[in-house]
Amino acid sequence: MSKFLSCCISRRTFFSASLAVAFAATAALPATAVAAENNYPKDRPITLVVGYPPGGGVDSVTRLLARQLEQSLGQTVVVENRPGAGSIIGTNTVTRAKPDGYTLLVADPALIINPSLMKSVSYVYERDLVPVSMITKSPLALAVPVSSPVKTLADLIQAGKDGSKSLNFASAGLGTTPHMAGELLKLQTSSNFTHIPYKGSGPAMTDLISGQVDFAFATLPATTQYLSQERLRGLAVTSAERSKFLPKIPTVAETLPGFDVYFWTGLFAPAGTPAPILETLNAAVKKALESDTMRSSLDRTGETGSYMSLADTKQFVNDESVMWAKVIKDGKIKVD
């Protein structure tokens, strides 16, 4: 009996050791190799969900990315627009999806602004989503009507401090990056600025050109043509360095050191998506952004590709979340 038990124990020990070695070997495989073994993506399309209507900036970037991902992944990539509630409807579609890499979200800063701005948001970014990569990252332009007496950012700040009347600034809507940039400028300069939200950048630019509002922050695609036609006067761009699209316009940071604001788009997956799939998608985004087709297409729209690793994307989005949460809190900004 003792020999029989000894034999069983030896076999069990050998079997357990073999399993441990096999597990360790599998864990040591590169993520792309594991993904290849799983054959992701298999025989069904990948869906990129956008929380905005067709034709907008985020939608356009998503469609450019989809075509390039099809080539690098060898699978159909479908763009699905789920607009509404400041992109929350689209976000919820992805947070509730199976974490298998086939339903993904292309989002902008509203993703991490909404939870701090609104009373009740059904998702928690850190819990429900995982970042895959940044796609684009571009500054905003700060502009005034050509009829405005304001010639520089310093003039604007001085007018906001000295005037008995508040200066009105337009944005594409409550909670948008242009809105937040205006609130940040207001906080950092203690200026008397009042936000006027519009339903999109088009109406905001129309009223800015006509002088119905005093200034506005807006994306480069929304402002570049008006600046080049001298229908608007550019005071500054919000990036730390000057924009390659508007090299003659100074940065806000040249007047207010440390001011650094971007409008970005990023790719996100439901929490729980396996690491090998995330690595595969991250590599595919990198390849897409390196393609001449994607680069030239983004240049035509005034956008700049901005690939980041999984870790760098997570850190960047977390930093953005902290920054905008503080602006919203300090500015006492709320949306019912």
Side-chain angles (χ1 to χ4, degrees):
M1 180 64 72
S2 60
K3 289 183 179 180
F4 175 76
L5 286 174
S6 177
C7 179
C8 288
I9 292 169
S10 296
R11 288 180 180 178
R12 187 187 304 169
T13 303
F14 174 78
F15 181 68
S16 299
S18 299
L19 278 179
V21 171
F23 177 78
T26 301
L29 286 173
T32 52
V34 176
E37 286 181 6
N38 293 334
N39 198 28
Y40 170 83
K42 297 178 183 177
D43 56 356
R44 57 194 175 100
I46 296 169
T47 298
L48 301 183
V49 177
V50 182
Y52 299 100
V58 178
D59 176 74
S60 298
V61 167
T62 304
R63 293 180 188 278
L64 290 174
L65 179 67
R67 301 294 78 81
Q68 296 303 310
L69 290 181
E70 285 184 334
Q71 295 183 27
S72 57
L73 293 172
Q75 185 55 268
T76 301
V77 180
V78 178
V79 177
E80 182 177 313
N81 297 90
R82 290 291 187 93
S87 78
I88 292 175
I89 291 175
T91 300
N92 286 339
T93 299
V94 178
T95 60
R96 295 165 183 165
K98 186 177 180 180
D100 55 8
Y102 289 96
T103 304
L104 307 169
L105 176 70
V106 176
D108 66 2
L111 174 70
I112 46 89
I113 291 171
N114 284 336
S116 295
L117 188 67
M118 300 181 180
K119 287 184 178 179
S120 59
V121 173
S122 52
Y123 67 86
V124 176
Y125 162 69
E126 297 87 346
R127 179 195 68 198
D128 297 328
L129 292 167
V130 58
V132 175
S133 176
M134 284 293 100
I135 305 169
T136 60
K137 180 168 167 263
S138 305
L140 304 174
L142 169 57
V144 296
V146 291
S147 59
S148 172
V150 172
K151 307 296 183 184
T152 66
L153 175 58
D155 290 343
L156 181 69
I157 295 169
Q158 193 63 44
K161 288 182 175 181
D162 290 349
S164 57
K165 187 185 80 160
S166 173
L167 297 183
N168 295 328
F169 73 94
S171 82
L174 288 164
T176 60
T177 312
H179 172 204
M180 291 294 103
E183 297 290 354
L184 179 60
L185 182 66
K186 176 181 178 179
L187 284 171
Q188 289 194 351
T189 61
S190 300
S191 296
N192 190 13
F193 297 152
T194 300
H195 177 231
I196 307 297
Y198 286 78
K199 292 183 177 180
S201 59
M205 291 301 97
T206 298
D207 274 10
L208 180 64
I209 291 169
S210 66
Q212 299 301 306
V213 288
D214 297 300
F215 70 96
F217 284 95
T219 62
L220 297 192
T223 54
T224 303
Q225 63 173 324
Y226 300 121
L227 293 169
S228 64
Q229 296 167 359
E230 297 186 351
R231 299 175 69 188
L232 288 175
R233 178 184 301 128
L235 300 186
V237 294
T238 60
S239 50
E241 298 178 351
R242 294 195 181 195
S243 168
K244 65 179 181 180
F245 299 108
L246 300 168
K248 294 182 179 180
I249 297 181
T251 67
V252 176
E254 289 174 41
T255 301
L256 297 173
F259 196 102
D260 193 14
V261 172
Y262 293 90
F263 178 82
W264 49 260
T265 58
L267 184 64
F268 299 82
T273 301
I277 292 177
L278 296 176
E279 291 285 0
T280 297
L281 288 168
N282 180 271
V285 173
K286 184 175 187 292
K287 185 176 180 180
L289 292 174
E290 289 174 346
S291 71
D292 291 338
T293 301
M294 188 81 173
R295 284 179 177 175
S296 60
S297 296
L298 289 174
D299 278 348
R300 284 195 294 271
T301 63
E303 298 280 5
T304 302
S306 181
Y307 163 79
M308 290 186 192
S309 68
L310 289 165
D312 288 346
T313 304
K314 181 179 181 180
Q315 185 63 57
F316 175 79
V317 177
N318 286 348
D319 290 346
E320 287 276 292
S321 180
V322 170
M323 177 179 72
W324 292 130
K326 178 173 172 45
V327 170
I328 291 165
K329 180 181 178 181
D330 292 350
K332 298 179 175 59
I333 310 163
K334 284 295 176 184
V335 177
D336 293 333

Short mmCIF file of all heavy atoms in Angstrom, two decimals, residues 183-226:
data_model
loop_
_atom_site.label_atom_id
_atom_site.label_comp_id
_atom_site.label_asym_id
_atom_site.label_seq_id
_atom_site.Cartn_x
_atom_site.Cartn_y
_atom_site.Cartn_z
N GLU A 183 -13.35 77.67 -19.68
CA GLU A 183 -13.47 77.69 -18.22
C GLU A 183 -12.09 77.67 -17.56
O GLU A 183 -11.87 78.32 -16.53
CB GLU A 183 -14.29 76.49 -17.74
CG GLU A 183 -15.74 76.47 -18.23
CD GLU A 183 -16.61 77.54 -17.59
OE1 GLU A 183 -16.15 78.24 -16.68
OE2 GLU A 183 -17.78 77.67 -18.02
N LEU A 184 -11.16 76.92 -18.15
CA LEU A 184 -9.80 76.88 -17.61
C LEU A 184 -9.13 78.25 -17.73
O LEU A 184 -8.48 78.72 -16.79
CB LEU A 184 -8.98 75.82 -18.35
CG LEU A 184 -7.52 75.66 -17.92
CD1 LEU A 184 -7.42 75.28 -16.44
CD2 LEU A 184 -6.81 74.62 -18.79
N LEU A 185 -9.30 78.90 -18.88
CA LEU A 185 -8.74 80.24 -19.06
C LEU A 185 -9.35 81.21 -18.06
O LEU A 185 -8.65 82.04 -17.47
CB LEU A 185 -8.99 80.72 -20.49
CG LEU A 185 -8.42 82.10 -20.84
CD1 LEU A 185 -6.90 82.09 -20.79
CD2 LEU A 185 -8.91 82.55 -22.22
N LYS A 186 -10.64 81.12 -17.85
CA LYS A 186 -11.34 81.97 -16.89
C LYS A 186 -10.78 81.78 -15.49
O LYS A 186 -10.52 82.76 -14.77
CB LYS A 186 -12.83 81.63 -16.92
CG LYS A 186 -13.68 82.38 -15.90
CD LYS A 186 -15.14 81.94 -16.01
CE LYS A 186 -16.02 82.62 -14.97
NZ LYS A 186 -17.44 82.20 -15.10
N LEU A 187 -10.57 80.53 -15.07
CA LEU A 187 -10.05 80.25 -13.74
C LEU A 187 -8.62 80.73 -13.58
O LEU A 187 -8.26 81.33 -12.55
CB LEU A 187 -10.11 78.74 -13.48
CG LEU A 187 -11.48 78.15 -13.15
CD1 LEU A 187 -11.41 76.62 -13.14
CD2 LEU A 187 -11.99 78.66 -11.81
N GLN A 188 -7.79 80.50 -14.59
CA GLN A 188 -6.38 80.83 -14.46
C GLN A 188 -6.11 82.33 -14.50
O GLN A 188 -5.08 82.79 -14.01
CB GLN A 188 -5.57 80.13 -15.56
CG GLN A 188 -5.47 78.63 -15.37
CD GLN A 188 -4.40 77.99 -16.24
OE1 GLN A 188 -3.83 78.64 -17.11
NE2 GLN A 188 -4.11 76.73 -16.00
N THR A 189 -7.04 83.09 -15.09
CA THR A 189 -6.82 84.54 -15.20
C THR A 189 -7.78 85.36 -14.35
O THR A 189 -7.67 86.59 -14.32
CB THR A 189 -6.98 84.98 -16.67
OG1 THR A 189 -8.31 84.68 -17.12
CG2 THR A 189 -5.97 84.26 -17.56
N SER A 190 -8.73 84.68 -13.67
CA SER A 190 -9.75 85.37 -12.87
C SER A 190 -10.47 86.43 -13.70
O SER A 190 -10.74 87.55 -13.24
CB SER A 190 -9.10 86.02 -11.63
OG SER A 190 -8.48 85.05 -10.83
N SER A 191 -10.80 86.05 -14.93
CA SER A 191 -11.45 86.98 -15.85
C SER A 191 -12.97 86.83 -15.80
O SER A 191 -13.50 85.78 -15.41
CB SER A 191 -10.96 86.75 -17.28
OG SER A 191 -9.58 87.04 -17.40
N ASN A 192 -13.66 87.88 -16.22
CA ASN A 192 -15.12 87.89 -16.23
C ASN A 192 -15.61 87.38 -17.59
O ASN A 192 -15.92 88.17 -18.49
CB ASN A 192 -15.62 89.31 -15.96
CG ASN A 192 -17.12 89.35 -15.73
OD1 ASN A 192 -17.76 88.31 -15.53
ND2 ASN A 192 -17.68 90.55 -15.74
N PHE A 193 -15.65 86.06 -17.74
CA PHE A 193 -16.09 85.42 -18.97
C PHE A 193 -17.38 84.65 -18.71
O PHE A 193 -17.54 84.02 -17.66
CB PHE A 193 -15.04 84.44 -19.50
CG PHE A 193 -13.71 85.05 -19.88
CD1 PHE A 193 -12.54 84.30 -19.80
CD2 PHE A 193 -13.63 86.36 -20.33
CE1 PHE A 193 -11.32 84.85 -20.17
CE2 PHE A 193 -12.41 86.93 -20.69
CZ PHE A 193 -11.25 86.17 -20.61
N THR A 194 -18.28 84.68 -19.69
CA THR A 194 -19.53 83.92 -19.59
C THR A 194 -19.65 82.98 -20.78
O THR A 194 -19.51 83.39 -21.94
CB THR A 194 -20.75 84.87 -19.58
OG1 THR A 194 -20.65 85.73 -18.44
CG2 THR A 194 -22.05 84.07 -19.49
N HIS A 195 -19.94 81.72 -20.48
CA HIS A 195 -20.04 80.71 -21.52
C HIS A 195 -21.40 80.75 -22.22
O HIS A 195 -22.44 80.79 -21.57
CB HIS A 195 -19.81 79.32 -20.91
CG HIS A 195 -19.97 78.20 -21.90
ND1 HIS A 195 -20.77 77.11 -21.67
CD2 HIS A 195 -19.43 78.02 -23.14
CE1 HIS A 195 -20.71 76.29 -22.70
NE2 HIS A 195 -19.90 76.82 -23.61
N ILE A 196 -21.37 80.69 -23.56
CA ILE A 196 -22.59 80.61 -24.37
C ILE A 196 -22.50 79.32 -25.19
O ILE A 196 -21.73 79.25 -26.16
CB ILE A 196 -22.74 81.81 -25.33
CG1 ILE A 196 -22.62 83.14 -24.57
CG2 ILE A 196 -24.06 81.72 -26.08
CD1 ILE A 196 -23.69 83.37 -23.55
N PRO A 197 -23.24 78.29 -24.80
CA PRO A 197 -23.15 77.01 -25.53
C PRO A 197 -23.99 77.02 -26.80
O PRO A 197 -25.08 77.61 -26.84
CB PRO A 197 -23.71 76.01 -24.52
CG PRO A 197 -24.66 76.79 -23.69
CD PRO A 197 -24.11 78.19 -23.62
N TYR A 198 -23.48 76.38 -27.84
CA TYR A 198 -24.21 76.21 -29.09
C TYR A 198 -24.37 74.73 -29.38
O TYR A 198 -23.70 73.88 -28.78
CB TYR A 198 -23.45 76.89 -30.24
CG TYR A 198 -23.54 78.39 -30.23
CD1 TYR A 198 -22.76 79.15 -29.35
CD2 TYR A 198 -24.40 79.07 -31.09
CE1 TYR A 198 -22.84 80.54 -29.33
CE2 TYR A 198 -24.49 80.46 -31.08
CZ TYR A 198 -23.70 81.19 -30.20
OH TYR A 198 -23.79 82.56 -30.18
N LYS A 199 -25.25 74.42 -30.31
CA LYS A 199 -25.44 73.03 -30.73
C LYS A 199 -24.53 72.73 -31.92
O LYS A 199 -24.97 72.62 -33.06
CB LYS A 199 -26.90 72.77 -31.08
CG LYS A 199 -27.82 72.83 -29.87
CD LYS A 199 -29.25 72.49 -30.24
CE LYS A 199 -30.14 72.50 -29.01
NZ LYS A 199 -31.56 72.18 -29.33
N GLY A 200 -23.24 72.65 -31.63
CA GLY A 200 -22.26 72.37 -32.67
C GLY A 200 -21.38 73.56 -32.97
O GLY A 200 -21.70 74.71 -32.65
N SER A 201 -20.24 73.29 -33.61
CA SER A 201 -19.27 74.34 -33.90
C SER A 201 -19.73 75.26 -35.03
O SER A 201 -19.36 76.44 -35.06
CB SER A 201 -17.91 73.72 -34.25
OG SER A 201 -18.03 72.86 -35.38
N GLY A 202 -20.55 74.74 -35.97
CA GLY A 202 -21.02 75.57 -37.08
C GLY A 202 -21.76 76.81 -36.63
O GLY A 202 -21.37 77.96 -36.98
N PRO A 203 -22.83 76.67 -35.83
CA PRO A 203 -23.54 77.85 -35.33
C PRO A 203 -22.67 78.76 -34.47
O PRO A 203 -22.81 79.98 -34.50
CB PRO A 203 -24.68 77.25 -34.51
CG PRO A 203 -24.86 75.87 -35.04
CD PRO A 203 -23.50 75.42 -35.45
N ALA A 204 -21.76 78.16 -33.71
CA ALA A 204 -20.87 78.96 -32.85
C ALA A 204 -19.96 79.84 -33.71
O ALA A 204 -19.75 81.02 -33.41
CB ALA A 204 -20.04 78.04 -31.94
N MET A 205 -19.40 79.27 -34.79
CA MET A 205 -18.52 80.04 -35.67
C MET A 205 -19.29 81.14 -36.40
O MET A 205 -18.79 82.24 -36.61
CB MET A 205 -17.84 79.12 -36.68
CG MET A 205 -16.82 78.15 -36.06
SD MET A 205 -15.46 78.96 -35.17
CE MET A 205 -16.04 78.88 -33.48
N THR A 206 -20.53 80.86 -36.78
CA THR A 206 -21.35 81.86 -37.46
C THR A 206 -21.55 83.08 -36.58
O THR A 206 -21.39 84.24 -37.03
CB THR A 206 -22.72 81.26 -37.84
OG1 THR A 206 -22.52 80.18 -38.76
CG2 THR A 206 -23.61 82.31 -38.48
N ASP A 207 -21.90 82.86 -35.32
CA ASP A 207 -22.12 83.98 -34.41
C ASP A 207 -20.82 84.66 -34.01
O ASP A 207 -20.81 85.87 -33.72
CB ASP A 207 -22.88 83.50 -33.16
CG ASP A 207 -24.39 83.51 -33.37
OD1 ASP A 207 -24.83 83.70 -34.52
OD2 ASP A 207 -25.13 83.31 -32.39
N LEU A 208 -19.73 83.92 -33.99
CA LEU A 208 -18.44 84.54 -33.68
C LEU A 208 -18.03 85.47 -34.82
O LEU A 208 -17.59 86.61 -34.58
CB LEU A 208 -17.38 83.46 -33.47
CG LEU A 208 -15.97 83.97 -33.15
CD1 LEU A 208 -15.94 84.73 -31.82
CD2 LEU A 208 -14.97 82.80 -33.11
N ILE A 209 -18.17 85.01 -36.05
CA ILE A 209 -17.80 85.83 -37.21
C ILE A 209 -18.61 87.12 -37.25
O ILE A 209 -18.08 88.20 -37.55
CB ILE A 209 -18.01 85.02 -38.51
CG1 ILE A 209 -16.96 83.89 -38.59
CG2 ILE A 209 -17.91 85.93 -39.74
CD1 ILE A 209 -17.24 82.88 -39.69
N SER A 210 -19.89 87.01 -36.90
CA SER A 210 -20.76 88.20 -36.95
C SER A 210 -20.61 89.10 -35.73
O SER A 210 -21.21 90.18 -35.68
CB SER A 210 -22.21 87.76 -37.08
OG SER A 210 -22.64 87.07 -35.91
N GLY A 211 -19.83 88.66 -34.74
CA GLY A 211 -19.62 89.48 -33.56
C GLY A 211 -20.68 89.35 -32.49
O GLY A 211 -20.73 90.15 -31.56
N GLN A 212 -21.53 88.33 -32.60
CA GLN A 212 -22.57 88.10 -31.58
C GLN A 212 -21.97 87.63 -30.27
O GLN A 212 -22.59 87.78 -29.21
CB GLN A 212 -23.59 87.07 -32.09
CG GLN A 212 -24.32 87.50 -33.34
CD GLN A 212 -25.10 88.78 -33.15
OE1 GLN A 212 -25.91 88.91 -32.23
NE2 GLN A 212 -24.84 89.77 -34.01
N VAL A 213 -20.79 87.01 -30.33
CA VAL A 213 -20.04 86.62 -29.13
C VAL A 213 -18.63 87.19 -29.25
O VAL A 213 -18.18 87.52 -30.35
CB VAL A 213 -20.00 85.08 -28.94
CG1 VAL A 213 -21.35 84.55 -28.53
CG2 VAL A 213 -19.50 84.39 -30.20
N ASP A 214 -17.95 87.29 -28.12
CA ASP A 214 -16.65 87.98 -28.10
C ASP A 214 -15.47 87.11 -28.51
O ASP A 214 -14.52 87.60 -29.13
CB ASP A 214 -16.40 88.55 -26.70
CG ASP A 214 -17.43 89.58 -26.30
OD1 ASP A 214 -17.53 90.60 -27.02
OD2 ASP A 214 -18.15 89.36 -25.30
N PHE A 215 -15.50 85.84 -28.15
CA PHE A 215 -14.41 84.94 -28.54
C PHE A 215 -14.88 83.51 -28.42
O PHE A 215 -15.97 83.22 -27.91
CB PHE A 215 -13.15 85.18 -27.69
CG PHE A 215 -13.25 84.76 -26.24
CD1 PHE A 215 -12.77 83.52 -25.82
CD2 PHE A 215 -13.78 85.62 -25.28
CE1 PHE A 215 -12.83 83.14 -24.49
CE2 PHE A 215 -13.85 85.24 -23.94
CZ PHE A 215 -13.37 83.99 -23.55
N ALA A 216 -14.04 82.62 -28.90
CA ALA A 216 -14.39 81.19 -28.82
C ALA A 216 -13.13 80.35 -28.92
O ALA A 216 -12.15 80.73 -29.57
CB ALA A 216 -15.36 80.80 -29.93
N PHE A 217 -13.18 79.20 -28.27
CA PHE A 217 -12.23 78.13 -28.52
C PHE A 217 -12.93 77.15 -29.46
O PHE A 217 -14.13 76.87 -29.29
CB PHE A 217 -11.87 77.39 -27.22
CG PHE A 217 -10.93 78.14 -26.33
CD1 PHE A 217 -11.41 78.93 -25.29
CD2 PHE A 217 -9.55 78.06 -26.52
CE1 PHE A 217 -10.56 79.61 -24.45
CE2 PHE A 217 -8.68 78.74 -25.68
CZ PHE A 217 -9.18 79.51 -24.65
N ALA A 218 -12.21 76.62 -30.42
CA ALA A 218 -12.80 75.63 -31.34
C ALA A 218 -11.69 74.76 -31.91
O ALA A 218 -10.50 75.12 -31.87
CB ALA A 218 -13.56 76.32 -32.46
N THR A 219 -12.07 73.62 -32.45
CA THR A 219 -11.09 72.72 -33.06
C THR A 219 -10.51 73.36 -34.31
O THR A 219 -11.12 74.25 -34.93
CB THR A 219 -11.73 71.38 -33.43
OG1 THR A 219 -12.76 71.59 -34.41
CG2 THR A 219 -12.33 70.69 -32.20
N LEU A 220 -9.34 72.88 -34.71
CA LEU A 220 -8.72 73.42 -35.92
C LEU A 220 -9.57 73.20 -37.17
O LEU A 220 -9.70 74.12 -38.00
CB LEU A 220 -7.32 72.83 -36.11
CG LEU A 220 -6.30 73.14 -35.01
CD1 LEU A 220 -4.90 72.74 -35.48
CD2 LEU A 220 -6.31 74.61 -34.62
N PRO A 221 -10.18 72.00 -37.36
CA PRO A 221 -11.03 71.83 -38.54
C PRO A 221 -12.18 72.84 -38.60
O PRO A 221 -12.62 73.22 -39.68
CB PRO A 221 -11.57 70.41 -38.37
CG PRO A 221 -10.51 69.70 -37.61
CD PRO A 221 -9.99 70.72 -36.65
N ALA A 222 -12.65 73.29 -37.42
CA ALA A 222 -13.77 74.24 -37.39
C ALA A 222 -13.34 75.68 -37.63
O ALA A 222 -14.17 76.52 -38.00
CB ALA A 222 -14.48 74.15 -36.04
N THR A 223 -12.05 75.98 -37.47
CA THR A 223 -11.61 77.39 -37.51
C THR A 223 -10.62 77.72 -38.62
O THR A 223 -10.56 78.87 -39.05
CB THR A 223 -10.95 77.78 -36.17
OG1 THR A 223 -9.89 76.85 -35.89
CG2 THR A 223 -11.94 77.76 -35.04
N THR A 224 -9.84 76.75 -39.07
CA THR A 224 -8.72 77.04 -39.97
C THR A 224 -9.13 77.80 -41.22
O THR A 224 -8.48 78.78 -41.62
CB THR A 224 -7.99 75.74 -40.37
OG1 THR A 224 -7.54 75.07 -39.19
CG2 THR A 224 -6.78 76.04 -41.24
N GLN A 225 -10.24 77.39 -41.85
CA GLN A 225 -10.65 78.06 -43.09
C GLN A 225 -11.01 79.52 -42.84
O GLN A 225 -10.70 80.40 -43.66
CB GLN A 225 -11.82 77.32 -43.73
CG GLN A 225 -13.09 77.29 -42.88
CD GLN A 225 -14.28 76.70 -43.62
OE1 GLN A 225 -14.43 76.91 -44.82
NE2 GLN A 225 -15.12 75.96 -42.90
N TYR A 226 -11.65 79.80 -41.70
CA TYR A 226 -12.05 81.18 -41.40
C TYR A 226 -10.84 82.04 -41.05
O TYR A 226 -10.81 83.24 -41.35
CB TYR A 226 -13.05 81.19 -40.24
CG TYR A 226 -14.30 80.41 -40.54
CD1 TYR A 226 -14.69 79.34 -39.74
CD2 TYR A 226 -15.10 80.73 -41.64
CE1 TYR A 226 -15.84 78.61 -40.02
CE2 TYR A 226 -16.25 80.01 -41.92
CZ TYR A 226 -16.62 78.95 -41.11
OH TYR A 226 -17.75 78.23 -41.39
#
